[in-house]
Amino acid sequence: MSTPHLPRDHKDRSVRARKHDPYKAKGKPKEPSVCRECKAAYHKGRWTWAPVPPKSHEILCPACARIRDGAPSGVLLLTGEFVASHREEILGLASNEEARVKAEHPLARIIKIEDQPESPQGVVITTTDPHLARRIGEALHHAHHGTFTCRYEEDEDLLRANWQS
Ligand SMILES: [Zn+2]
């Protein structure tokens, strides 16, 4: 699949320089742990929204760390006339999809939704988790057709997805 219109040159320089994922490289958290920001719990090898076990270590979960640093692992670019004319509806769908994915995968969050004024004009949604960027793009594709492409950029450790209405 090709992604001819993706912006490769702005906003993501901090990510491009990165060879390894520092949010995973620190090793597994102690157990049990709780994120001091979002209260996600790390227990039995996975992050959950289950009640926090007593005497949990307080840490910052990888999703909150990415949000704090503005370091996405998924970037979804939405372009086309329909995006401009149905912005609220589209962002509502994106937010619903985030809620659905996040309920099961606590580390999957939207970091930011930004307008991209330069060509191609559109909306950029960055996510803490590559699958969430893809899931939102797929949901838009399913609901409104258009063209959906995505590609994993290994050197950037980043999923770049593009939905064109
Ligand atoms: Zn957190």
Side-chain angles (χ1 to χ4, degrees):
M1 278 188 276
S2 68
T3 49
H5 300 301
L6 290 187
R8 296 185 52 95
D9 264 316
H10 70 293
K11 289 177 184 161
D12 296 318
R13 283 199 185 90
S14 61
V15 176
R16 297 176 69 195
R18 191 148 48 77
K19 287 277 186 266
H20 304 287
D21 185 347
Y23 302 93
K24 284 177 194 157
K26 285 171 194 154
K28 292 187 171 163
K30 291 178 186 168
E31 295 210 18
S33 283
V34 59
C35 176
R36 60 176 179 264
E37 287 291 329
C38 68
K39 306 302 175 198
Y42 186 80
H43 194 38
K44 295 181 180 163
R46 56 191 295 260
W47 287 93
T48 73
W49 294 116
V52 177
K55 294 185 183 165
S56 290
H57 304 272
E58 283 218 348
I59 61 169
L60 192 65
C61 78
C64 289
R66 283 183 178 281
I67 291 166
R68 177 197 61 193
D69 299 345
S73 69
V75 179
L76 173 64
L77 172 64
L78 312 176
T79 55
E81 297 253 319
F82 189 80
V83 175
S85 58
H86 292 73
R87 196 173 187 282
E88 291 312 309
E89 184 185 341
I90 283 170
L91 296 187
L93 189 151
S95 154
N96 287 345
E97 197 61 23
E98 180 201 27
R100 215 188 328 263
V101 175
K102 191 171 82 173
E104 257 183 79
H105 305 284
L107 301 188
R109 325 259 176 86
I110 290 176
I111 298 176
K112 231 178 352 183
I113 298 174
E114 276 185 311
D115 288 315
Q116 174 168 283
E118 66 267 48
S119 182
Q121 286 186 2
V123 176
V124 180
I125 300 178
T126 49
T127 61
T128 57
D129 178 287
H131 305 295
L132 179 58
R134 201 190 64 219
R135 282 278 299 264
I136 295 170
E138 285 172 351
L140 287 166
H141 187 220
H142 184 76
H144 301 293
H145 308 289
T147 311
F148 176 67
T149 57
C150 75
R151 181 166 76 182
Y152 185 69
E153 303 282 355
E154 214 163 327
D155 55 332
E156 300 175 276
D157 190 25
L158 190 68
L159 184 104
R160 289 185 176 274
N162 189 357
W163 180 65
Q164 190 164 17
S165 59

